[in-house]
């Protein structure tokens, strides 16, 4: 029987290969995902281990180590050097350029040096700093220059029992560093200052009642000749309970395990997409085997007639599927490995700053998981065809081979199951939307995802009942174009199950793609409104960012900003010192109302802004006991008074006055802020640094807040995530299109005599090819259109559930993406028909005369 | 758009032959292995006649029909339908020829399973973007006794009914000639007799020209004339045949053949079939 199975496989090799490609792509996807996950974990491990440089041991305790506990380690015999591991974020600026960078103490021992000095040296005294080369370039400083460090210090003498106060330190750059092992690559590099400075700054930052400062770990260097195990035991003994002394590699692994939770989630999400691709592959496989069995009906019947029993036939089909599954999975694993290896080489060449391993690591899971999954999917997909094989009666061997007849759709049980799943799922989905709208988006989203998934399964299971109807409807629309279209429609409907399965395979991918892009489009339009509220001004240039009235923004700075390419308008705000009736003094900003409305993204907020009014931030209204329409009396520093009407609503958190009113109250008010509008916020990532560069020469410290950069970053995050998701789902669409080509070529082979008959009664070669092209486009087009409709609906449901917390959800249809998907599907359907069409057109009409 | 209305050709028993073959030759393989399926055939088929081509398996009768109908290419010689030389037409011209001037009836009926009987019958006209001549359609349906079956699909029809639908399909476009390849091969003798009667009626009453390939003497006896063929050559001609006269003719062929040739016949037949 096994020999017979192999012989049959050889005869159908072309079709099996076409079906196998679906599995190859699916398993390659899984393999690549698993390998990529391993690479990420390894990269994280390596970079954590690199932070400990050549330390011999790392001591850590569950409750961290106090300074005295770290000191205790120094007296352990054989211990040469001990450094506590500590980080501190530093706010460094040079002129208008500013970075927020991780800072680490200079190591006390060369063995602990994770960074290499490129120029100059490591800091040795207070107020010295070594910068990563890239950071030095960004700030535009070299060795000997100074940078300003800003930090908050707890000031106990402040009113209300103490407050944070900003302190600036002038730090001298003494060296630039490189990070050859990527120790801090994921944090964008690390600035080095002396350990004393770190300790002093951290102590100044702490509030008096804060618990004692602790360290997550301490690096230990051993004297030459000290036995590692002995030292390890001694260190543990000298440490608090439950402490561990491990090598840097071991420590990195345990740290990475805590950290990589996120990466695992990421891997699982991608594996979810791989599962979609494999599901589609399973449909393609099931279809192929169904047809293989149908084609072999006579052979199978003959086998039954000469004594094969039902289970032997079923086993033969399953064996065939197993062989195909194993071979295709192995090919997929090789392909996936090859692709990730190539990706690694490309990534290394691109110099991402993160050390990337040169070769992929093949763990047993990387090979076994795709192999098992790929084979299992293939075998499971062949269950139904195997059962069909057992239903072949021996009698069929004796009947003349008839033209393939029409087959029925599905049974009643299927209908009931499909209806229950669809309706039940939709009900849950509706509940999810309602929950999302009433303020529990998490539960709503959970219900929405579950309901959506269940209803989608129902739609897929029930597709056989309604999808042929849609094909027939579209076909009737086409029938007017001629008999070829009518023939094509009739052909697609002769086997509703197969057409449904082929179309469904495409529908799955298209639905998900359409859902994602609809969701993203809705999210983008909804977020645009939210972003406008949150980031009303594109760029803020200020001298008074730290709360003072600030110095005047020099004229040359205003000119430089106005002259920067990409800047559309600049509005000047003057800071006036104003006293309210209750004696509280504050800075209000004077600006021309018209100009203000012209530059902000939410001009409606400033609708009431005019001379004689003050705009009060809503957040301040309650604490200052101000209501809309209140009359407020304002007093300037020289005693000038002005009565104004308060209106709620402001840009950011400052109070706004008309420019002339501000001048009246405080004649000394100077321009301390600029509101800058950009031509296109999408360019913010280029324009904002350009503004910073333009004003770097100014002597007055000027703050440039690139709010638009955040806005652009948020938009690019949405776009990137969408792009990645659509790319991943595209794999499923590609597999489904292979399925369309497969189905068409199988139809052509099945209908060989019929094609010949049509040729004999007057169908031209061109008409025959066109007929198959219409069939292909009909199957693909209907799958795509239904997928788009379902996807848009699901996308809206998702957006309504997830985004309603943010306020009004605007449902959008991504027309461009939708059109693209449809065009791709139609072209692919057309392309899929080319090869089968040529085969069919080659059929001589003589074949119609053949009896068999 | 082609809006030609298809009408039956005028019955014209006299005049030039409907189909002619001149020195028609078909050779498979080359050199030593060459098999001459047709070895220089000259034959005329008259308009308005029902002619049967008969011969044993492998005699070349099917090959002759394929060449006459333009389904296959000849190695040399000429075949004509009316005044048109079929040999040497390109595929498009042949398709046009099959649409307008030739009809086929197959042994396995070859109806399209997804279309009803009526849709099957009118298909050739629709493929040519033409209009169905309803009067002619009604005549055909009435003559073939298919009135009650028009909305049925092939799977709901008996073999004889399916073949009658196939005959109607072959005649709908009013072709100059209908080729029938073993039209009774898949039918029981009663249905077979019925189908043959219809073929004969369509010649006698509707003025059609039919060329039928068969190896059944009883079937051949329905024709006006039987052309006997053996070893790729014309071996005899019987006018107004009866089953007895056809059998006698076939017996005469056998005695002509060398006794040893019987053994090689199946091999030849395989080659020709393939």
């Amino acid at each position: 029987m096994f020999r017979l199975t192999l012989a049959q496989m050889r005869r159908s090799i072309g079709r099996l290969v076409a079906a196998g490609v679906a599995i190859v792509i699916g398993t390659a996807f899984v393999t690549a995902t698993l390998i990529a996950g391993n690479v990420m974990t390894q990269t994280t491990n390596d970079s954590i281990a690199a932070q400990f440089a050549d330390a011999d041991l790392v001591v850590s305790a569950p409750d961290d180590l106090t300074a005295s506990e770290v000191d205790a380690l120094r007296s352990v015999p054989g211990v040469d050097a001990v450094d506590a591991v500590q980080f501190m974020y530093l706010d460094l600026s040079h002129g208008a350029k500013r970075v927020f960078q991780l800072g680490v103490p200079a190591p006390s021992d060369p063995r602990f040096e994770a960074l290499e000095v490129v120029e100059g040296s490591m800091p040795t005294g207070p107020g010295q700093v070594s910068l990563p080369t890239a950071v030095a370039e960004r700030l535009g400083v070299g060795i000997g220059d100074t940078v300003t460090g800003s930090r908050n210090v707890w000031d106990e003498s402040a009113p209300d029992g103490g407050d944070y106060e900003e302190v600036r330190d002038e730090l001298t750059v003494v060296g630039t560093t490189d990070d050859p092992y990527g120790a801090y690559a994921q944090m964008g590099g690390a600035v080095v200052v002396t350990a004393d400075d770190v300790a002093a700054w951290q102590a100044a930052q702490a509030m008096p009642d804060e618990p004692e400062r602790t360290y997550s770990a301490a690096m230990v260097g051993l004297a030459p000749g000290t036995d590692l195990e002995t030292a390890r035991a001694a260190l543990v003994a000298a440490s608090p309970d439950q402490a561990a002394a491990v090598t840097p590699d071991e420590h990195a692994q345990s740290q990475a395990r805590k950290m990589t939770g996120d990466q695992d989630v990421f891997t699982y999400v991608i594996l979810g997409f791989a599962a979609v691709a494999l599901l589609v592959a399973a449909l393609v496989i099931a279809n192929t085997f169904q047809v293989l069995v149908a084609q072999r009906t006579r052979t199978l019947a003959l086998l039954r007639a000469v004594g094969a029993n039902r289970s032997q036939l079923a086993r033969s089909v399953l064996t065939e599927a197993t062989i195909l599954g194993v071979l295709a999975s192995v090919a997929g694993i090789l392909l996936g490995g090859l692709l990730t290896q190539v990706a690694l080489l490309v990534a290394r060449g691109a110099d991402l700053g993160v050390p990337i391993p040169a070769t992929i690591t093949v763990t047993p899971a990387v090979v076994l998981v795709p192999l098992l999954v790929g084979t299992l999917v293939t075998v499971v997909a062949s269950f139904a065809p195997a059962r069909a094989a057992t239903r072949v009666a021996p009698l069929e061997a004796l009947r003349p081979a008839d033209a393939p007849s029409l087959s029925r759709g599905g049974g009643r049980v299927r209908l009931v199951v499909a209806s229950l799943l669809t309706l039940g799922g939709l009900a849950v989905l509706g509940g999810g939307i309602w929950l999302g709208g009433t303020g529990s988006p998490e539960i709503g989203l959970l219900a929405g995802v579950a309901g959506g998934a269940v209803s989608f399964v129902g739609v897929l299971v029930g597709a056989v009942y309604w999808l042929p109807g849609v094909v027939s409807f579209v076909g009737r629309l086409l029938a007017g174009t001629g008999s070829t279209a009518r023939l094509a429609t009739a052909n697609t409907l002769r086997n509703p199950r197969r057409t449904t399965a082929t179309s469904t395979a495409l529908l799955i991918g298209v639905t998900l793609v359409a859902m994602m892009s609809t969701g993203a489009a809705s999210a983008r339009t909804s977020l645009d409104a939210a972003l406008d509220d949150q980031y009303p001004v594109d760029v803020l240039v200020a001298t008074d960012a730290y709360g003072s009235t600030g110095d005047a923004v020099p004229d040359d700075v205003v000119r430089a900003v106005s002259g920067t390419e990409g800047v559309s308008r600049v509005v000047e705000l003057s800071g006036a010192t104003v006293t309210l009736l209750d004696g509280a003094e504050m800075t209000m900003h004077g600006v021309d109302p018209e100009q203000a409305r012209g530059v902000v993204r939410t001009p409606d907020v400033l609708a009431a802004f005019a001379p004689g009014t003050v705009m009060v931030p809503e957040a301040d209204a309650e604490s200052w006991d101000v209501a809309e329409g209140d009359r407020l009396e304002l007093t300037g520093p020289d005693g000038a008074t002005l009565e104004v009407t308060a209106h709620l609503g402001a840009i950011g958190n400052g109070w706004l006055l008309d420019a002339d009113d501000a001048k009246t109250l405080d004649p000394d008010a100077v321009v301390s802020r600029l509101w800058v509008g950009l031509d296109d916020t999408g360019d913010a990532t280029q324009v904002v640094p350009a503004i910073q560069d333009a004003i770097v020469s100014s002597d007055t410290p000027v703050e440039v807040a690139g709010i638009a950069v955040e806005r652009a970053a948020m938009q690019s995050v949405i776009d990137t995530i969408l792009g990645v998701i659509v790319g991943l789902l595209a794999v499923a669409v590609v597999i489904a299109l292979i399925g369309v080509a497969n189905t068409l070529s199988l139809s052509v082979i099945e209908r060989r005599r019929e094609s010949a008959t049509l040729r004999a009664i007057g169908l031209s070669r061109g008409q025959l090819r066109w007929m198959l092209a219409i069939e292909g486009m009909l199957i693909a087009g209907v799958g795509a259109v239904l997928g788009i409709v379902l996807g848009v609906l699901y996308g809206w449901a998702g957006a309504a559930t997830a985004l309603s917390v943010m306020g009004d959800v605007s449902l959008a249809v991504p027309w461009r993406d939708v059109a693209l998907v449809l065009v791709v599907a139609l072209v692919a359907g057309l392309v899929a028909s080319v090869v089968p069409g040529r085969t069919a057109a080659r059929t001589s009409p003589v074949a119609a005369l053949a009896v068999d | 758009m082609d809006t030609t209305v298809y009408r039956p050709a005028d019955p014209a028993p006299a005049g030039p032959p409907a189909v002619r073959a001149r020195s028609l030759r078909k050779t498979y393989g080359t050199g030593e292995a060459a098999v001459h399926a047709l070895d220089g055939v000259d034959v005329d088929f008259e308009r308005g006649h029902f002619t049967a081509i008969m011969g044993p398996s492998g005699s070349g009768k099917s090959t002759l029909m394929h060449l006459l109908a333009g389904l296959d290419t000849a190695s040399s010689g000429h075949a004509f339908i009316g005044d048109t030389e079929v040999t040497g037409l390109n595929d498009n011209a042949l398709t046009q020829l099959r649409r307008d001037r030739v009809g086929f009836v197959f042994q396995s009926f070859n109806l399209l399973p997804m279309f009803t009987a009526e849709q099957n019958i009118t298909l050739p006209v629709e493929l040519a973007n033409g209009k169905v001549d309803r009067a002619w359609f009604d005549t055909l349906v009435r003559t073939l006794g298919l009135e009650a079956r028009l909305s049925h699909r092939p799977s709901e029809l008996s073999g004889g009914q399916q073949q009658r639908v196939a005959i109607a399909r072959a005649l709908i476009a009013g072709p100059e000639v209908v080729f029938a390849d073993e039209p009774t091969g898949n039918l029981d003798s009663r249905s077979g007799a019925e189908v043959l009667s219809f073929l004969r009626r369509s010649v006698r009453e509707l003025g059609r020209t039919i060329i039928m390939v068969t190896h059944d003497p009883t079937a051949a006896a329905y024709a006006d004339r039987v052309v006997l063929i053996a070893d790729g050559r014309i071996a005899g001609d019987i006018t107004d045949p009866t089953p007895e006269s056809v059998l006698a003719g076939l017996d005469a062929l056998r005695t002509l053949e060398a006794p040893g040739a019987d053994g090689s016949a199946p091999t030849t037949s395989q080659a020709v079939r393939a």
Side-chain angles (χ1 to χ4, degrees), chain B residues 193-233:
Chain B
E194 211 177 70
V195 162
L196 288 164
S197 309
F198 281 122
L199 285 177
R200 187 161 63 187
R201 276 179 71 191
S202 49
V203 173
R204 302 244 165 107
E205 295 172 19
L206 308 174
R208 305 292 90 196
T209 306
I210 293 178
I211 299 173
M212 171 177 76
V213 168
T214 183
H215 65 273
D216 178 5
T218 323
Y222 279 83
D224 300 320
R225 171 191 168 209
V226 174
V227 174
L228 293 172
I229 189 164
D231 291 334
R233 295 165 198 271

Side-chain angles (χ1 to χ4, degrees), chain B residues 3-257:
Chain B
T3 54
T4 316
V5 174
Y6 285 81
R7 290 180 205 291
D10 290 329
V19 177
R20 280 178 294 153
R22 292 291 175 266
S23 314
L24 206 53
R25 215 174 284 272
K26 177 75 181 179
T27 310
Y28 293 101
T30 49
E32 291 286 304
V35 176
H36 300 287
L38 275 190
D39 198 4
V41 169
D42 291 279
V43 66
D44 288 5
F45 298 91
E46 292 86 6
R47 220 171 268 278
H49 276 61
F50 182 9
T51 311
I53 303 176
M54 274 212 75
S57 285
S59 58
K61 56 184 191 301
S62 289
T63 308
L64 175 61
M65 193 195 86
H66 295 169
L67 296 185
L68 292 175
L71 294 178
D72 204 350
T73 51
S75 304
S76 69
H78 312 273
F80 300 88
I81 290 180
D83 294 329
T84 311
E85 183 173 353
V86 176
T87 39
L89 287 182
N90 68 18
D91 187 73
N92 280 338
L94 281 173
T95 302
Q96 201 60 43
L97 182 89
R98 288 196 291 266
R99 277 183 187 173
D100 302 342
R101 299 169 63 186
V102 180
F104 289 98
V105 177
F106 306 96
Q107 179 174 355
S108 332
F109 326 137
N110 292 11
L111 300 178
L112 298 184
M114 63 281 191
F115 284 161
T116 63
E118 177 168 357
Q119 287 169 329
N120 265 290
I121 294 172
T122 56
L123 188 60
V125 179
E126 280 161 10
L127 288 179
N129 289 320
K131 259 207 196 90
V132 177
D133 180 343
R134 289 321 294 192
W136 175 236
F137 176 84
D138 290 341
T139 309
L140 280 175
V141 168
R142 209 168 39 246
T143 313
L144 291 162
L146 291 169
E147 296 99 323
R149 299 281 166 216
L150 288 178
S151 58
H152 293 234
R153 287 179 200 276
S155 54
E156 299 157 343
L157 298 174
S158 72
Q161 287 166 341
Q162 288 191 49
Q163 195 61 300
R164 272 144 58 195
V165 171
I167 293 170
R169 179 177 70 183
L171 292 172
I172 187 71
E176 290 171 34
V177 56
V178 171
F179 292 97
D181 184 23
E182 304 273 13
T184 59
N186 276 357
L187 296 176
D188 60 70
S189 53
R190 229 191 100 227
S191 308
E194 211 177 70
V195 162
L196 288 164
S197 309
F198 281 122
L199 285 177
R200 187 161 63 187
R201 276 179 71 191
S202 49
V203 173
R204 302 244 165 107
E205 295 172 19
L206 308 174
R208 305 292 90 196
T209 306
I210 293 178
I211 299 173
M212 171 177 76
V213 168
T214 183
H215 65 273
D216 178 5
T218 323
Y222 279 83
D224 300 320
R225 171 191 168 209
V226 174
V227 174
L228 293 172
I229 189 164
D231 291 334
R233 295 165 198 271
I234 301 296
D237 209 324
I238 307 168
T239 318
D240 292 330
T242 61
E244 293 73 26
S245 64
V246 176
L247 268 178
L250 284 175
D251 282 343
L253 284 186
R254 288 211 182 87
T255 49
L256 283 176
E257 285 172 8

Side-chain angles (χ1 to χ4, degrees), chain A residues 4-22 24 285 288-289 292 295-296 320 323-324 327-328 738 742 745-746 749:
Chain A
L4 190 100
T5 307
L6 286 183
Q8 283 192 334
M9 286 187 81
R10 265 200 299 279
R11 268 188 54 186
S12 329
I13 194 89
R15 239 142 306 148
L16 289 172
V17 166
V21 169
V24 170
I285 296 281
T288 310
F289 271 85
L292 284 178
Q295 271 189 314
R296 292 179 193 155
E320 194 170 342
I323 295 173
L324 175 70
L327 291 180
I738 292 175
N742 242 357
S745 31
L746 295 166
I749 294 160

Side-chain angles (χ1 to χ4, degrees), chain A residues 97-376:
Chain A
K97 294 184 176 182
R98 187 171 179 195
V99 294
F100 198 57
Q101 203 72 36
L102 180 78
V104 295
S108 64
D109 189 284
R111 276 175 286 182
F112 302 148
E113 268 176 21
L115 302 173
E116 264 176 17
V117 174
V118 179
E119 262 184 280
S121 65
M122 285 287 180
T124 50
Q128 293 185 349
V129 64
S130 292
L131 302 176
T133 318
V135 172
E137 268 172 31
R138 210 176 315 149
L139 289 174
V141 294
I143 292 173
D145 291 341
T146 55
V147 292
T148 309
S150 312
R151 56 198 174 87
N152 289 320
V153 169
W154 186 253
D155 177 15
E156 263 186 278
S157 61
D160 303 332
D163 197 358
Y164 278 112
E165 192 192 332
E166 196 199 3
V167 170
R168 296 187 183 194
D169 309 296
E170 291 301 311
L171 303 171
T172 312
V173 179
V174 295
T176 55
T177 59
D178 191 17
D179 187 1
Y181 308 107
Y184 303 105
Q186 288 175 347
M187 289 78 108
V191 171
V192 186
V193 290
T194 61
D196 292 341
D197 275 347
V198 173
W201 293 345
Q202 268 174 343
Q205 195 178 21
M207 287 202 288
D209 51 348
E210 246 177 58
E212 192 192 348
R213 160 107 196 129
T214 57
Y215 306 97
S216 66
M219 294 182 273
V220 175
L222 299 178
T226 311
D227 179 55
L228 187 75
E229 291 310 316
T230 318
R232 194 196 285 247
L235 284 166
V236 171
S239 307
D241 289 346
Q242 292 176 304
V246 294
T247 62
D249 278 339
E250 290 166 343
H251 184 73
Q253 271 168 24
S254 71
Q255 287 289 301
R257 228 170 288 136
K258 284 184 215 158
M259 278 174 56
T260 49
D262 292 348
Q263 289 177 9
D264 287 347
V265 170
F266 178 71
T267 308
Y268 292 139
V269 167
I270 304 222
L271 283 178
F273 289 107
V276 172
L278 279 170
L279 174 68
V280 173
L283 280 173
V284 172
I285 296 281
N287 240 357
T288 310
F289 271 85
Q290 207 102 48
V291 177
L292 284 178
V293 168
Q295 271 189 314
R296 292 179 193 155
T297 301
R298 270 167 81 86
T299 318
L300 292 170
L302 198 67
L303 287 170
R304 291 279 279 135
V306 298
N309 63 26
R310 281 165 188 272
S311 64
Q312 278 177 310
L313 293 189
R315 258 205 317 274
S316 172
V317 173
L318 292 180
T319 309
E320 194 170 342
T322 312
I323 295 173
L324 175 70
V326 170
L327 291 180
S329 301
V330 168
I333 293 166
L334 292 177
L335 179 69
L338 193 72
L339 287 178
T340 34
Q341 180 64 63
V342 170
L344 277 191
L345 292 178
V346 171
R348 278 171 74 85
D351 189 23
L352 299 178
V354 183
I356 292 167
T359 51
I360 55 172
T361 318
V362 178
T363 57
V366 164
V367 176
L368 290 180
V369 170
L371 184 66
L372 281 178
V373 170
T375 309
L376 210 65

